[in-house]
CSV table of all heavy atoms in Angstrom, one decimal:
chain,number,residue,atom,x,y,z
A,878,ARG,N,-18.6,1.2,-11.4
A,878,ARG,CA,-19.4,1.6,-12.5
A,878,ARG,C,-19.5,3.1,-12.6
A,878,ARG,O,-20.6,3.6,-12.9
A,878,ARG,CB,-20.8,0.9,-12.5
A,878,ARG,CG,-20.8,-0.6,-12.5
A,878,ARG,CD,-20.4,-1.1,-13.9
A,878,ARG,NE,-20.3,-2.6,-14.0
A,878,ARG,CZ,-19.3,-3.3,-13.7
A,878,ARG,NH1,-18.1,-2.7,-13.3
A,878,ARG,NH2,-19.3,-4.6,-13.8
A,879,ASN,N,-18.4,3.7,-12.3
A,879,ASN,CA,-18.4,5.2,-12.4
A,879,ASN,C,-17.1,5.5,-13.3
A,879,ASN,O,-16.0,4.9,-13.0
A,879,ASN,CB,-18.3,5.8,-11.0
A,879,ASN,CG,-18.0,7.3,-11.1
A,879,ASN,OD1,-16.8,7.7,-11.3
A,879,ASN,ND2,-18.9,8.1,-10.8
A,880,TYR,N,-17.3,6.4,-14.3
A,880,TYR,CA,-16.2,6.6,-15.2
A,880,TYR,C,-14.9,7.2,-14.6
A,880,TYR,O,-13.8,6.9,-14.9
A,880,TYR,CB,-16.7,7.4,-16.4
A,880,TYR,CG,-17.6,6.6,-17.3
A,880,TYR,CD1,-18.9,6.7,-17.3
A,880,TYR,CD2,-17.0,5.7,-18.2
A,880,TYR,CE1,-19.8,5.9,-18.1
A,880,TYR,CE2,-17.8,5.0,-19.1
A,880,TYR,CZ,-19.2,5.1,-19.0
A,880,TYR,OH,-20.0,4.3,-19.8
A,935,LYS,N,-23.5,-2.8,-22.3
A,935,LYS,CA,-22.7,-2.0,-23.2
A,935,LYS,C,-21.2,-2.3,-23.1
A,935,LYS,O,-20.4,-1.8,-23.9
A,935,LYS,CB,-23.0,-0.5,-23.0
A,935,LYS,CG,-22.5,0.1,-21.8
A,935,LYS,CD,-22.8,1.6,-21.8
A,935,LYS,CE,-22.5,2.3,-20.5
A,935,LYS,NZ,-23.3,1.8,-19.4
A,978,ARG,N,-18.2,17.5,0.6
A,978,ARG,CA,-19.7,17.4,0.7
A,978,ARG,C,-20.2,16.6,-0.5
A,978,ARG,O,-20.0,17.1,-1.6
A,978,ARG,CB,-20.3,18.7,0.9
A,978,ARG,CG,-21.8,18.8,1.0
A,978,ARG,CD,-22.2,20.2,1.1
A,978,ARG,NE,-23.6,20.4,0.9
A,978,ARG,CZ,-24.5,20.3,2.0
A,978,ARG,NH1,-24.0,20.0,3.2
A,978,ARG,NH2,-25.8,20.4,1.8
A,979,GLY,N,-20.9,15.6,-0.2
A,979,GLY,CA,-21.6,14.9,-1.3
A,979,GLY,C,-20.8,14.0,-2.2
A,979,GLY,O,-21.2,13.5,-3.2
A,980,ASN,N,-19.5,13.9,-1.9
A,980,ASN,CA,-18.6,13.1,-2.8
A,980,ASN,C,-18.9,11.6,-2.7
A,980,ASN,O,-19.0,11.1,-1.6
A,980,ASN,CB,-17.2,13.3,-2.5
A,980,ASN,CG,-16.3,12.8,-3.6
A,980,ASN,OD1,-16.5,11.6,-4.0
A,980,ASN,ND2,-15.4,13.6,-4.2
A,981,ARG,N,-19.2,11.0,-3.8
A,981,ARG,CA,-19.5,9.6,-3.8
A,981,ARG,C,-18.5,8.7,-4.6
A,981,ARG,O,-18.8,7.6,-4.8
A,981,ARG,CB,-20.9,9.4,-4.4
A,981,ARG,CG,-21.9,10.3,-3.7
A,981,ARG,CD,-23.3,10.0,-4.2
A,981,ARG,NE,-23.4,9.7,-5.6
A,981,ARG,CZ,-24.5,9.6,-6.4
A,981,ARG,NH1,-25.6,9.8,-5.8
A,981,ARG,NH2,-24.4,9.3,-7.6
B,1254,DG,P,-36.6,0.0,6.5
B,1254,DG,OP1,-37.3,-0.8,7.6
B,1254,DG,OP2,-36.7,-0.5,5.2
B,1254,DG,O5',-37.2,1.4,6.6
B,1254,DG,C5',-37.6,1.9,7.8
B,1254,DG,C4',-37.4,3.4,7.8
B,1254,DG,O4',-36.0,3.8,8.1
B,1254,DG,C3',-37.7,4.1,6.5
B,1254,DG,O3',-38.3,5.3,6.9
B,1254,DG,C2',-36.3,4.3,5.9
B,1254,DG,C1',-35.5,4.6,7.1
B,1254,DG,N9,-34.0,4.1,6.9
B,1254,DG,C8,-33.6,3.0,6.5
B,1254,DG,N7,-32.3,2.9,6.5
B,1254,DG,C5,-31.9,4.1,7.0
B,1254,DG,C6,-30.6,4.6,7.3
B,1254,DG,O6,-29.5,4.1,7.1
B,1254,DG,N1,-30.6,5.9,7.8
B,1254,DG,C2,-31.8,6.6,8.1
B,1254,DG,N2,-31.6,7.8,8.5
B,1254,DG,N3,-33.0,6.1,7.8
B,1254,DG,C4,-33.0,4.9,7.3
B,1255,DC,P,-38.9,6.3,5.7
B,1255,DC,OP1,-40.2,6.8,6.3
B,1255,DC,OP2,-38.8,5.7,4.4
B,1255,DC,O5',-37.8,7.5,5.8
B,1255,DC,C5',-37.6,8.1,7.0
B,1255,DC,C4',-36.6,9.3,6.8
B,1255,DC,O4',-35.3,8.8,6.7
B,1255,DC,C3',-36.9,10.1,5.6
B,1255,DC,O3',-36.8,11.5,5.9
B,1255,DC,C2',-35.8,9.7,4.6
B,1255,DC,C1',-34.7,9.3,5.5
B,1255,DC,N1,-33.7,8.3,5.1
B,1255,DC,C2,-32.3,8.5,5.2
B,1255,DC,O2,-31.9,9.6,5.6
B,1255,DC,N3,-31.5,7.5,4.8
B,1255,DC,C4,-31.9,6.4,4.3
B,1255,DC,N4,-31.0,5.5,3.9
B,1255,DC,C5,-33.3,6.1,4.2
B,1255,DC,C6,-34.2,7.1,4.6
B,1257,DA,P,-33.6,16.7,1.8
B,1257,DA,OP1,-34.2,17.3,3.0
B,1257,DA,OP2,-34.2,16.6,0.5
B,1257,DA,O5',-32.1,17.3,1.6
B,1257,DA,C5',-31.1,17.1,2.6
B,1257,DA,C4',-29.8,16.9,1.9
B,1257,DA,O4',-29.7,15.5,1.6
B,1257,DA,C3',-29.6,17.7,0.7
B,1257,DA,O3',-28.2,18.1,0.7
B,1257,DA,C2',-29.9,16.7,-0.5
B,1257,DA,C1',-29.4,15.4,0.2
B,1257,DA,N9,-30.1,14.2,-0.3
B,1257,DA,C8,-31.5,14.0,-0.6
B,1257,DA,N7,-31.8,12.8,-0.9
B,1257,DA,C5,-30.6,12.1,-0.9
B,1257,DA,C6,-30.3,10.8,-1.2
B,1257,DA,N6,-31.2,9.9,-1.6
B,1257,DA,N1,-29.0,10.4,-1.1
B,1257,DA,C2,-28.1,11.3,-0.7
B,1257,DA,N3,-28.3,12.6,-0.4
B,1257,DA,C4,-29.6,13.0,-0.5
B,1258,DA,P,-27.6,19.1,-0.4
B,1258,DA,OP1,-26.7,19.9,0.3
B,1258,DA,OP2,-28.7,19.6,-1.3
B,1258,DA,O5',-26.8,18.0,-1.3
B,1258,DA,C5',-25.7,17.3,-0.7
B,1258,DA,C4',-25.2,16.4,-1.8
B,1258,DA,O4',-26.1,15.3,-2.0
B,1258,DA,C3',-24.9,17.0,-3.1
B,1258,DA,O3',-23.6,16.7,-3.5
B,1258,DA,C2',-25.9,16.4,-4.0
B,1258,DA,C1',-26.2,15.1,-3.4
B,1258,DA,N9,-27.5,14.5,-3.6
B,1258,DA,C8,-28.7,15.1,-3.6
B,1258,DA,N7,-29.8,14.3,-3.8
B,1258,DA,C5,-29.2,13.1,-4.1
B,1258,DA,C6,-29.7,11.8,-4.3
B,1258,DA,N6,-31.0,11.6,-4.5
B,1258,DA,N1,-28.9,10.8,-4.5
B,1258,DA,C2,-27.6,11.0,-4.3
B,1258,DA,N3,-26.9,12.2,-4.0
B,1258,DA,C4,-27.8,13.2,-3.9
B,1259,DC,P,-22.8,17.5,-4.6
B,1259,DC,OP1,-21.4,17.6,-4.2
B,1259,DC,OP2,-23.6,18.6,-5.0
B,1259,DC,O5',-22.9,16.4,-5.8
B,1259,DC,C5',-22.3,15.1,-5.6
B,1259,DC,C4',-22.9,14.1,-6.5
B,1259,DC,O4',-24.3,14.0,-6.3
B,1259,DC,C3',-22.8,14.5,-8.0
B,1259,DC,O3',-21.7,13.8,-8.6
B,1259,DC,C2',-24.2,14.0,-8.6
B,1259,DC,C1',-24.8,13.3,-7.4
B,1259,DC,N1,-26.3,13.5,-7.4
B,1259,DC,C2,-27.1,12.3,-7.6
B,1259,DC,O2,-26.5,11.3,-7.7
B,1259,DC,N3,-28.4,12.4,-7.6
B,1259,DC,C4,-29.0,13.6,-7.4
B,1259,DC,N4,-30.3,13.7,-7.4
B,1259,DC,C5,-28.2,14.8,-7.2
B,1259,DC,C6,-26.9,14.7,-7.2
B,1260,DG,P,-21.3,14.0,-10.1
B,1260,DG,OP1,-19.9,13.8,-10.2
B,1260,DG,OP2,-22.0,15.2,-10.7
B,1260,DG,O5',-22.0,12.7,-10.8
B,1260,DG,C5',-21.7,11.4,-10.3
B,1260,DG,C4',-22.4,10.4,-11.1
B,1260,DG,O4',-23.8,10.4,-10.9
B,1260,DG,C3',-22.2,10.6,-12.6
B,1260,DG,O3',-22.1,9.3,-13.2
B,1260,DG,C2',-23.5,11.3,-13.0
B,1260,DG,C1',-24.5,10.7,-12.0
B,1260,DG,N9,-25.6,11.6,-11.7
B,1260,DG,C8,-25.5,12.9,-11.3
B,1260,DG,N7,-26.6,13.5,-11.0
B,1260,DG,C5,-27.6,12.5,-11.2
B,1260,DG,C6,-29.0,12.6,-11.1
B,1260,DG,O6,-29.7,13.5,-10.7
B,1260,DG,N1,-29.5,11.3,-11.3
B,1260,DG,C2,-28.8,10.2,-11.7
B,1260,DG,N2,-29.5,9.1,-12.0
B,1260,DG,N3,-27.5,10.2,-11.9
B,1260,DG,C4,-26.9,11.3,-11.6
B,1261,DT,P,-22.0,9.1,-14.8
B,1261,DT,OP1,-21.2,8.0,-15.1
B,1261,DT,OP2,-21.8,10.5,-15.5
B,1261,DT,O5',-23.5,8.7,-15.2
B,1261,DT,C5',-24.1,7.6,-14.6
B,1261,DT,C4',-25.5,7.4,-15.1
B,1261,DT,O4',-26.4,8.4,-14.7
B,1261,DT,C3',-25.5,7.3,-16.7
B,1261,DT,O3',-26.2,6.2,-17.1
B,1261,DT,C2',-26.3,8.6,-17.0
B,1261,DT,C1',-27.1,8.9,-15.8
B,1261,DT,N1,-27.5,10.3,-15.5
B,1261,DT,C2,-28.8,10.5,-15.2
B,1261,DT,O2,-29.7,9.7,-15.3
B,1261,DT,N3,-29.1,11.8,-14.9
B,1261,DT,C4,-28.2,12.9,-14.7
B,1261,DT,O4,-28.5,14.0,-14.4
B,1261,DT,C5,-26.8,12.5,-15.0
B,1261,DT,C7,-25.7,13.5,-14.9
B,1261,DT,C6,-26.5,11.2,-15.3
B,1262,DT,P,-26.4,5.8,-18.6
B,1262,DT,OP1,-26.3,4.3,-18.6
B,1262,DT,OP2,-25.6,6.7,-19.4
B,1262,DT,O5',-28.0,6.2,-18.8
B,1262,DT,C5',-29.0,5.8,-17.9
B,1262,DT,C4',-30.3,6.4,-18.3
B,1262,DT,O4',-30.3,7.8,-17.9
B,1262,DT,C3',-30.6,6.3,-19.8
B,1262,DT,O3',-31.8,5.7,-20.0
B,1262,DT,C2',-30.6,7.8,-20.2
B,1262,DT,C1',-30.9,8.5,-18.9
B,1262,DT,N1,-30.4,9.9,-18.8
B,1262,DT,C2,-31.2,10.9,-18.3
B,1262,DT,O2,-32.4,10.6,-18.0
B,1262,DT,N3,-30.6,12.1,-18.1
B,1262,DT,C4,-29.3,12.4,-18.3
B,1262,DT,O4,-28.9,13.5,-18.1
B,1262,DT,C5,-28.5,11.3,-18.8
B,1262,DT,C7,-27.0,11.6,-19.1
B,1262,DT,C6,-29.0,10.1,-19.0
Side-chain angles (χ1 to χ4, degrees):
Chain A
R878 296 291 180 270
N879 170 283
Y880 286 99
K935 71 177 175 294
R978 179 182 171 83
N980 193 309
R981 306 189 321 193

